[in-house]
Amino acid sequence: MRIAVLHGSTREEGNTEALTEIVLDGLERTDIYLRGKRIKPIHDQRHEEGGFDPVDDDYDGIVQEVLAHDILVFTTPVYWYGPSGILKNFIDRWSQSLRDTRYNFKEAMAKKEAYVIVVGGDNPRIKALPLIQMLKYTFDFVGMPLEGYVIGKASRPGDIKGDSRAIAEAQWLNRELKKKAGC
Amino acid sequence: MRIAVLHGSTREEGNTEALTEIVLDGLERTDIYLRGKRIKPIHDQRHEEGGFDPVDDDYDGIVQEVLAHDILVFTTPVYWYGPSGILKNFIDRWSQSLRDTRYNFKEAMAKKEAYVIVVGGDNPRIKALPLIQMLKYTFDFVGMPLEGYVIGKASRPGDIKGDSRAIAEAQWLNRELKKKAGC
Amino acid sequence: MRIAVLHGSTREEGNTEALTEIVLDGLERTDIYLRGKRIKPIHDQRHEEGGFDPVDDDYDGIVQEVLAHDILVFTTPVYWYGPSGILKNFIDRWSQSLRDTRYNFKEAMAKKEAYVIVVGGDNPRIKALPLIQMLKYTFDFVGMPLEGYVIGKASRPGDIKGDSRAIAEAQWLNRELKKKAGC
Amino acid sequence: MRIAVLHGSTREEGNTEALTEIVLDGLERTDIYLRGKRIKPIHDQRHEEGGFDPVDDDYDGIVQEVLAHDILVFTTPVYWYGPSGILKNFIDRWSQSLRDTRYNFKEAMAKKEAYVIVVGGDNPRIKALPLIQMLKYTFDFVGMPLEGYVIGKASRPGDIKGDSRAIAEAQWLNRELKKKAGC
């Protein structure tokens, strides 16, 4: 059971990463920090004759890394009630991977399990629900089950330590993942 | 009543633009095509001492254009059940504008009215509802009323012509906007 | 194509009924006014040995009427952001019909098409979306497609006449239903 | 800090009650079992000259009990992706209380705090979100903050014991309530 974490934060060691750290404490995983990657927004060429032009950026490398894992943890701060733009750009490009003949993207994703960790400042346990629903539809499309999500409340650096509820949930998720990993 | 359209499509003259054309038929407006602009993802520096570093891209110019209008029409194809990454990146950067001392962004936005036009291929009248809710929370945050939205169903180029319901709604919205504009 | 309308209003000739009248203008249908029926709340006996006890009320008759139609139009005023209690009680009892050996309820419902008409006073195009989503999940469970919904805004008697958007949508739906009915 | 629990289950000692028991372990409270009460569906007379007719059932007594408490815990099994019909009927009748001159219902409710406990069998952490959103709008209308909610997954009697996540959340909520109660 190989775990990859797709970090959607643009700030280093922020609240989302701190909460993710609790979820993954003691577990081996591959950390993918999207903020350090170049991922261009998709250019929708689904309906052009030649399909998508190749894009010169880091996207392909990330997808190949993703495909080599079994559990995908998507993390993002809640930016304007949605995922961060860098995470959104990454997901938008899946439309390109769906048509990439090098691998069967959809079939491969359907064999993985997804988890989501989001942290927001403005009543996230209510106002981040559309974000959870949007990601659920996204994972449904590729047939990947959303096995669980944790919503934390924090704004200023370090705030997450005060969200005892999110920490309890993160610890629960850590125990679950350890069971799955056979730790 | 000056109208600005924020076009979130990455494809030229796609279904979202065709539907938008019906909504705005006969109305003067400023078209802002985000796909032709360079807008970097936000780097969250809200909590750094010096605040946000200036960013060298097209964002500031777009915001100033936006601020010079009264009605904002946000349009986006439904990409993975959310806004396109280029629209999301634009909205994410509002966090920077909120702290920009050159203008009172929130107060200015609260005086405007928002409309939303989205077009998706996968049951959008249900599966784009989280996207509508996300934008609603976004506009609420800056105090800008969401005056209406139209959801169209289309996937391949030209499909939107077959969505008689969306077209009827777009025509209704066109009449409303013309009343507001005093046409 | 036989149409049945399940009226969830508790008020006669209110806004929801007026909007429904536009949707069904010129179409034959069976009107079922839930407010005139006795439908007891469900008593969950799914897990009792003998299953559900027979209930002495009007529910069974309504279900048999429903099963004799092809298109079901569910109408309800938005009461506290959900369906009216009388409509909810009717739907809750479906759990009993699912176990009723006299008919194959789920299979029969899966062959029908659902439409929804709701009217609310407090920003219903946003705040009635959870109600739409709840009904969608409900229809999904029995495999019945939700073919369309109309959301109207009205509070005091007659208000709906002022919601030109809802009226335009209702007229559109009327044309669609007439096409299906071969009128 | 007086706690009242509004039990929306129709089954005795079901999963929802078992989860609620964990949340309230060791805390004094008033249990109100709606299944044992007669609460008629609302008859919408908001717009009639004389207003609402008095209704001969148990509703008034429950409201007076509710008004005598500071924390309200609403519990319901997820019936068809919404609250149970008996809970919905209770809430629908608030429209009557809002016009009851004996007390200022809205002002009184605004001073209370709400918690929600729901248990469903069909992926409730996703499919019960519209139910949570509906209740949030409901509490917003009377100005009562929704302080927290717990979603459990269970179907057959006893199932809830296997939902270690819901139990961890219920235990967290129990600690919070004990802090508030000064235990």
Side-chain angles (χ1 to χ4, degrees), chain C residues 10-11 41-44 47 79-81 83-86 88-89 91-92 94-95 127 130 134 137-138 141 155 157, chain D residues 10-11 41-44 47 79-81 83 85-86 88-89 91-92 94-95 127 130 134 137-138 141 155 157:
Chain C
T10 66
R11 189 147 60 84
I42 196 163
H43 175 205
D44 177 10
H47 309 293
Y79 283 176
W80 295 94
Y81 311 102
S84 66
I86 57 175
K88 190 60 177 53
N89 273 337
I91 291 174
D92 283 2
W94 292 6
S95 298
K127 295 190 181 176
M134 171 188 310
Y137 284 136
T138 293
F141 190 89
S155 182
Chain D
T10 66
R11 188 148 59 84
I42 195 160
H43 175 206
D44 178 12
H47 310 293
Y79 283 175
W80 294 93
Y81 312 101
I86 56 174
K88 189 62 176 54
N89 273 338
I91 291 174
D92 282 2
W94 292 9
S95 298
K127 295 190 181 176
M134 171 187 310
Y137 284 137
T138 293
F141 190 90
S155 183

Side-chain angles (χ1 to χ4, degrees), chain B residues 7-68:
Chain B
H7 292 276
S9 301
T10 66
R11 189 149 57 86
E12 275 182 48
E13 300 183 4
N15 290 302
T16 308
E17 284 183 31
L19 190 60
T20 302
E21 197 48 53
I22 297 171
V23 170
L24 294 169
D25 180 54
L27 284 157
E28 268 190 69
R29 87 275 192 160
T30 306
D31 286 297
I32 301 168
Y33 295 96
L34 295 175
R35 66 173 169 270
K37 308 286 186 179
R38 281 185 324 121
I39 303 176
K40 294 190 189 161
I42 196 161
H43 175 206
D44 178 10
Q45 300 181 303
R46 286 175 301 156
H47 309 292
E48 292 190 14
E49 223 171 285
F52 283 93
D53 293 326
V55 180
D56 178 28
D57 64 4
D58 298 328
Y59 175 77
D60 268 352
I62 301 173
V63 163
Q64 279 157 33
E65 190 77 281
V66 160
L67 291 176

Side-chain angles (χ1 to χ4, degrees), chain B residues 1 3 5 19-27 71-75 113-118 146-151 165-181 183, chain C residues 125 164-166 168-169:
Chain B
M1 198 199 67
I3 301 174
V5 186
L19 190 60
T20 302
E21 197 48 53
I22 297 171
V23 170
L24 294 169
D25 180 54
L27 284 157
I71 289 186
L72 306 180
V73 182
F74 294 81
T75 85
E113 297 182 354
Y115 289 87
V116 168
I117 300 169
V118 304
L146 171 55
E147 291 289 311
Y149 60 85
V150 177
I151 299 175
R165 168 155 200 177
I167 288 170
E169 295 186 33
Q171 287 166 338
W172 173 87
L173 190 47
N174 180 257
R175 291 193 296 272
E176 283 299 298
L177 288 173
K178 278 183 172 156
K179 265 187 242 167
K180 286 198 177 178
C183 298
Chain C
R125 282 192 190 87
S164 61
R165 168 155 199 177
E169 295 187 33

Side-chain angles (χ1 to χ4, degrees), chain A residues 10 44 79 83 85 88 92 134, chain B residues 10 44 79 83 85 88 92 134:
Chain A
T10 66
D44 178 11
Y79 282 175
K88 190 62 176 53
D92 283 2
M134 171 188 308
Chain B
T10 66
D44 178 10
Y79 283 174
K88 190 60 177 54
D92 283 2
M134 172 189 309

